[in-house]
Amino acid sequence: MKIDKKMKRWVFILIAALAIFLTADLCARERGVKFSGGTDLVSTYVWRGVRESGPAFQPSLTMSAGNFSATAWGSVDFDSAYKEMDLTLAYALGPVTLSVADLYWTGHADDRYFVFDSRSPHRIEVGASWVVSEKVPVTLSWYTVLFGATDVNHKGERAYASYFEAACPFTVKTVDMKAGVGMVPWNAAATYLTGNRGFCVQNVFLNAGKSWTIKGTDSMSVGVFTNLIWNPALDDVNFVGGISFRM
């Protein structure tokens, strides 16, 4: 299979980034590697304000060592019409977390996973998030797609689809809450379904959840959550409910 020059470049960048992360965190690794995982069951899968599927299972597995983490996350609906698989490398530098992710989901002209040429269904995305302070725990995040056959605007041109979000967690009695707003700064029609719009508000959300440790275990827990999500750009609203299991 022939791999185009642009894909080779991004594969090289990802390998180099992984090597840097691993080298920088070598001392932390000597202190031990930890694994964690879980599964969510959601009534609707909504990603950054966009409804992707109906009810879905969403498993996750994370390896962490010091400030470094590698996460596999997936989503599949009940009739397997929609499938997603994301791999993310992240490194925390104090209040700032840098990430590189491979986002794969179905619904393209060619959905084969191991296609890495100009038809590739993968999107390579870089991101950065910053927690302002402990007293003001607002998180500001920015994500940009660097590669992907379907990363195009309404004219079919490379979009470098980007998303900016501001979110703040808080607690009401014993319920964990989070409110935030997400925006698309320029046209990214294929990724965020924004048509011919430029800047738009894509995701306004209010989340609530609560979890309980399972008796007789040290780390296993079960939780319930609800997410109320408005998408002004698409004139859409979704009210999501879910159950989570963590280990």
Side-chain angles (χ1 to χ4, degrees), residues 143-182:
Y143 302 95
T144 295
V145 173
L146 298 181
F147 170 86
T150 54
D151 173 36
V152 295
N153 61 23
H154 67 295
K155 296 180 181 179
E157 303 167 336
R158 173 66 65 196
Y160 295 101
S162 296
Y163 175 82
F164 172 74
E165 182 179 284
C168 182
F170 57 98
T171 301
V172 177
K173 293 187 177 179
T174 60
V175 178
D176 297 323
M177 308 282 292
K178 180 187 285 188
V181 57

Side-chain angles (χ1 to χ4, degrees), residues 134-145:
E134 292 185 3
K135 292 184 178 180
V136 184
V138 174
T139 299
L140 303 178
S141 304
W142 181 284
Y143 302 95
T144 295
V145 173

Side-chain angles (χ1 to χ4, degrees), residues 35 51 56 59 61 72 74 82 86 92 99 104 118 144 163 186 189 194 198-200 204 206-207 211 238 244 247:
F35 286 89
R51 183 184 183 278
L61 177 64
Y82 178 89
D86 301 340
S99 63
Y104 163 84
S118 59
T144 295
Y163 175 82
W186 51 74
T194 52
F199 172 87
C200 58
V204 180
L206 177 64
N207 303 343
S211 62
N238 286 280
S244 65
M247 59 182 178

Side-chain angles (χ1 to χ4, degrees), residues 33-39 59-65 68-73 219-221 245-247:
V33 176
K34 297 179 180 179
F35 286 89
S36 60
T39 299
S60 64
L61 177 64
T62 297
M63 180 203 75
S64 59
F68 171 81
S69 66
T71 300
W73 182 92
S219 59
M220 296 185 67
S221 65
F245 299 91
R246 294 290 181 269
M247 59 182 178

Side-chain angles (χ1 to χ4, degrees), residues 12 14 28-29 52 71 106 115 123-124 173 186 221 231:
F12 174 79
L14 285 176
R29 282 178 173 274
E52 301 290 350
T71 300
T106 55
V115 172
R123 289 177 173 89
I124 304 302
K173 293 187 177 179
W186 51 74
S221 65
N231 187 328

Side-chain angles (χ1 to χ4, degrees), residues 45-96:
Y45 171 31
V46 180
W47 179 72
R48 297 177 184 173
V50 179
R51 183 184 183 278
E52 301 290 350
S53 77
F57 287 105
Q58 298 180 335
S60 64
L61 177 64
T62 297
M63 180 203 75
S64 59
N67 296 335
F68 171 81
S69 66
T71 300
W73 182 92
S75 183
V76 60
D77 62 6
F78 282 21
D79 59 6
S80 298
Y82 178 89
K83 181 171 63 176
E84 180 173 345
M85 174 63 182
D86 301 340
L87 299 172
T88 303
L89 302 176
Y91 192 81
L93 298 168
V96 176

